[in-house]
């Protein structure tokens, strides 16, 4: 029987399950959206059981639709939305509260207080992260402080904390673990010593008893309960979605860059085996750990990427499906001076402004929904161009190309505009499901499905290359105008 790796790609708005064969070919896919909850302005929540049930459903669906016997699955790899925080009861396995999603801004004031107390530099020096509500530490503190009895139960070892990878592994196998790439996104992990940091735990008031065991990104950590799929399948690969996408894009050498156009946009550059501190408010983070060796990445995060298009659909109602946005935007030659700043949940790197809010500038009586759609797509590219500028200053490595993936990478108009703003080619791979592919590769390496990273890199192929066509003067003028729009949207929510 032919063998496969099953990748579980648990994202912010949907859960996906994808089968890959030894050639890295996609052999089956199932996806399911799940509800988003916005109980207060700036709050974003998920029901952890929605996450689990949707992920289990699509995993079973893809096996059923492709007529795959569970014994054909050599291993499961997991890629997950990062920083989203889940706390559950160890005895019952029941979540004690909704998951607080990475986009959630409810702890911004706590971050402000820590910054005013002079703690920001220490946090960055240890964790590689900016002090921001984006990460898990303040979310976990909030849950322990606001869920009745939670802190006392946590101190007694009765509760378990995890990011979404931990939650899925627990539901699949009963193990309470997280890999280094996800641990590095909690703001509680020392990326230099590769362990939970006692100073940070004390600073945020987190009991050590609540934490998962930290494991490598590519190793067998448990087996699925036989009743889930009809076989005990090894769970052998775990990585945060952006690290998984970087690995799936075969960005295994220093200086290689990928940008994922998903719910948010995440640009990552491979740094090698030593971390590089950012001086431009980017993040230094763990990429993956394989066979005892840790690879580090430099990352810039944009909170609203494809989610901006979802807002056009669900908020404004100017498109019926996200797929319509490219044709609508292409129906006009440019945005006619309209700029959108999609700071609906604040601004990420390099601004880190939790109080910025979304705005439209340059509207006139002649502005149409097509101009707004075009401005929305261009905003995704402008934000990513800012990341690249900061990244090149930090790493001092000349950029030769950017490998693009994620759902919005299928949008040719966006990819061409991105290449124009960056001034270097944007390359779209044949397999754009690189997040799932990276999780599959990590799991497959652990069980011998693939032997080396070089073998994996040889499978990467280009589907289309977008070369820049915009002059440097025009590029500079556009970026200057974008900076004006950013400045006017900042510090709006007091």
């Amino acid at each position: 029987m032919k063998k496969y790796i099953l990748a579980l790609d648990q994202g912010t708005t949907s859960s996906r399950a994808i089968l890959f064969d030894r050639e890295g070919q996609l052999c089956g896919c199932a996806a399911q959206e799940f509800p988003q909850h916005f109980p207060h302005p700036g709050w974003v929540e998920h029901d952890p059981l929605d996450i689990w049930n949707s992920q289990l459903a699509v995993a079973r669906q893809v096996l059923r639709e492709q007529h795959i016997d569970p014994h054909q699955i050599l291993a499961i790899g997991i890629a997950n939305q990062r920083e989203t925080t889940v706390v559950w009861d160890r005895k019952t396995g029941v979540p004690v509260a909704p998951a607080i999603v990475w986009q959630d801004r409810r702890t911004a004031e706590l971050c402000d207080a820590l910054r005013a107390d002079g703690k920001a530099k220490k946090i960055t020096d240890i964790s590689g992260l900016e002090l921001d509500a984006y990460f898990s530490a303040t979310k976990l503190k909030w849950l322990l402080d606001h869920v009745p009895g939670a802190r006392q139960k946590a101190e007694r070892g009765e509760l378990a904390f995890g990011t979404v990878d931990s939650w899925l592994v627990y539901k699949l196998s009963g193990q309470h673990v997280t890999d280094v790439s996800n641990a590095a996104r909690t703001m509680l992990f020392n990326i230099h010593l590769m362990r939970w940091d006692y100073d940070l735990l004390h600073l945020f008031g987190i009991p050590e008893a609540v934490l998962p065991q930290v494991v490598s990104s590519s190793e067998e950590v448990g087996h699925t309960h036989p009743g889930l799929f009809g076989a005990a399948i090894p769970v052998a690969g775990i990585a945060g979605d952006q690290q998984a996408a970087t690995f799936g894009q075969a960005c295994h050498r220093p200086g290689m860059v990928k940008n994922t156009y998903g719910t948010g946009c995440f640009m990552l550059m491979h740094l090698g085996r030593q971390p590089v501190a950012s001086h431009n408010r980017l993040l230094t983070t763990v990429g993956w750990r394989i066979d005892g060796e840790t690879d580090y990445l430099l990352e810039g995060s944009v909170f609203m990427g494809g989610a901006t298009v979802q807002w056009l659909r669900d908020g404004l109602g100017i498109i019926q499906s996200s797929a319509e946005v490219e044709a609508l935007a292409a129906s006009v030659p440019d945005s006619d001076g309209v700029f959108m700043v999609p700071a609906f949940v604040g601004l990420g790197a390099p601004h880190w402004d939790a109080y910025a809010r979304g705005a439209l500038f340059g509207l006139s009586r002649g502005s149409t929904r097509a101009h707004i759609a075009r401005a929305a797509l261009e905003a995704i590219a402008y934000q990513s161009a800012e990341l690249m500028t900061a990244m090149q200053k930090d790493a001092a490595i000349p950029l030769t190309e950017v490998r693009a993936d994620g759902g919005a990478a299928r949008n040719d108009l966006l990819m061409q505009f991105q290449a124009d703003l960056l001034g270097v080619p944007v390359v779209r791979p044949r397999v754009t499901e690189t997040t799932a592919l990276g999780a599959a590769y990590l799991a497959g390496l652990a069980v011998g499905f693939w032997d080396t990273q070089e073998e994996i890199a040889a499978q990467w192929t280009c589907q289309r290359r977008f070369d820049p066509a915009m002059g440097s003067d025009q590029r500079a003028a556009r970026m200057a105008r974008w900076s004006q729009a950013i400045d006017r949207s900042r510090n709006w929510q007091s």
Side-chain angles (χ1 to χ4, degrees), residues 13 21 26 64 87 90 105 114 116 126 182 216 219 288 329 341 375 389 399 408 443 449 464 490:
T13 58
D21 64 14
L26 190 154
R64 182 176 64 251
V87 176
R90 288 187 184 274
R105 309 305 295 170
L114 289 167
I126 295 171
N182 281 291
S216 295
E219 68 170 288
W288 47 82
V341 179
T389 298
L399 181 67
F449 196 56
R464 181 167 174 183
R490 298 195 64 176

Side-chain angles (χ1 to χ4, degrees), residues 301-354:
S301 309
V302 167
F303 295 155
M304 294 291 293
T308 307
V309 177
Q310 290 178 327
W311 179 72
L312 297 181
R313 181 192 68 188
D314 302 333
L316 291 189
I318 65 174
I319 53 176
Q320 298 302 307
S321 71
S322 296
E324 295 174 19
V325 71
E326 182 173 7
L328 179 60
S331 69
V332 290
D334 53 48
S335 68
D336 195 31
V338 176
F339 280 76
M340 176 187 290
V341 179
F344 299 102
V345 291
L347 290 169
H351 306 287
W352 298 107
D353 184 346

Side-chain angles (χ1 to χ4, degrees), residues 7 20 23-24 79 239-252 256-260 268 270 287-288 290 297 403-406 427-443 445 450 453 455-462:
F20 291 99
E23 286 68 48
D241 52 9
Q242 301 314 315
Q243 289 97 328
T246 308
F247 197 79
Q249 283 275 37
C251 292
H252 302 160
M256 297 185 74
V257 176
K258 74 88 194 173
N259 196 23
T260 294
L268 287 85
H270 193 287
W288 47 82
I290 302 173
L297 305 173
R403 295 185 172 184
D405 56 63
V427 184
R428 186 168 61 202
R430 176 179 50 81
V431 177
T432 57
E433 297 287 356
T434 52
T435 300
L437 181 58
Y441 280 150
L442 290 167
L445 283 171
W450 293 285
Q453 293 185 42
E455 178 186 359
I456 286 170
Q459 293 185 349
W460 189 94
T461 55
C462 172

Side-chain angles (χ1 to χ4, degrees), residues 181-427:
S181 73
N182 281 291
R185 309 299 296 191
T186 61
M187 216 155 59
L188 299 170
F189 191 73
N190 189 314
I191 65 169
H192 310 283
L193 301 178
M194 299 301 290
R195 61 165 174 78
W196 298 117
D197 189 86
Y198 299 116
D199 287 344
L200 294 181
L201 293 178
H202 177 74
L203 179 64
F204 289 104
I206 305 300
E208 187 179 2
V210 81
L211 299 173
Q213 176 190 354
V214 181
V215 298
S216 295
S217 309
S218 181
E219 68 170 288
E220 290 191 33
V221 298
H223 290 75
T224 61
H225 300 300
L228 294 176
F229 302 111
I233 304 170
V235 179
I238 307 171
D241 52 9
Q242 301 314 315
Q243 289 97 328
T246 308
F247 197 79
Q249 283 275 37
C251 292
H252 302 160
R253 300 190 311 277
M256 297 185 74
V257 176
K258 74 88 194 173
N259 196 23
T260 294
Y261 298 83
T263 301
C265 289
F266 301 90
M267 184 175 288
L268 287 85
M269 173 184 283
H270 193 287
L271 292 174
R273 297 281 163 81
Q274 295 295 325
V276 173
S278 174
H279 300 288
N280 292 278
R281 307 197 73 187
L282 300 181
L283 310 177
T284 304
T285 197
V286 175
W288 47 82
R289 187 171 178 83
I290 302 173
D291 294 332
E293 296 285 354
T294 302
D295 288 56
Y296 290 90
L297 305 173
L298 194 62
E299 175 176 336
S301 309
V302 167
F303 295 155
M304 294 291 293
T308 307
V309 177
Q310 290 178 327
W311 179 72
L312 297 181
R313 181 192 68 188
D314 302 333
L316 291 189
I318 65 174
I319 53 176
Q320 298 302 307
S321 71
S322 296
E324 295 174 19
V325 71
E326 182 173 7
L328 179 60
S331 69
V332 290
D334 53 48
S335 68
D336 195 31
V338 176
F339 280 76
M340 176 187 290
V341 179
F344 299 102
V345 291
L347 290 169
H351 306 287
W352 298 107
D353 184 346
Y355 303 104
R357 286 298 178 265
L360 276 168
F361 298 103
L363 293 171
S364 70
R365 286 291 300 272
S367 300
T368 67
R369 66 190 189 104
H371 294 116
I372 293 173
R374 187 155 188 134
L377 290 183
E378 291 182 351
I380 297 171
Y382 281 123
Q383 292 176 103
S384 295
E386 286 187 305
L387 298 182
M388 181 50 65
T389 298
M391 195 166 282
Q392 289 188 281
K393 289 178 181 177
D394 276 335
I397 301 174
L399 181 67
T400 58
E401 69 175 24
V402 172
R403 295 185 172 184
D405 56 63
R410 292 189 286 268
N411 188 309
D412 291 351
L413 181 66
L414 172 58
M415 293 296 97
Q416 183 57 57
F417 190 70
Q418 186 70 87
D420 289 343
L421 286 183
L422 295 177
V424 298
V426 172
V427 184

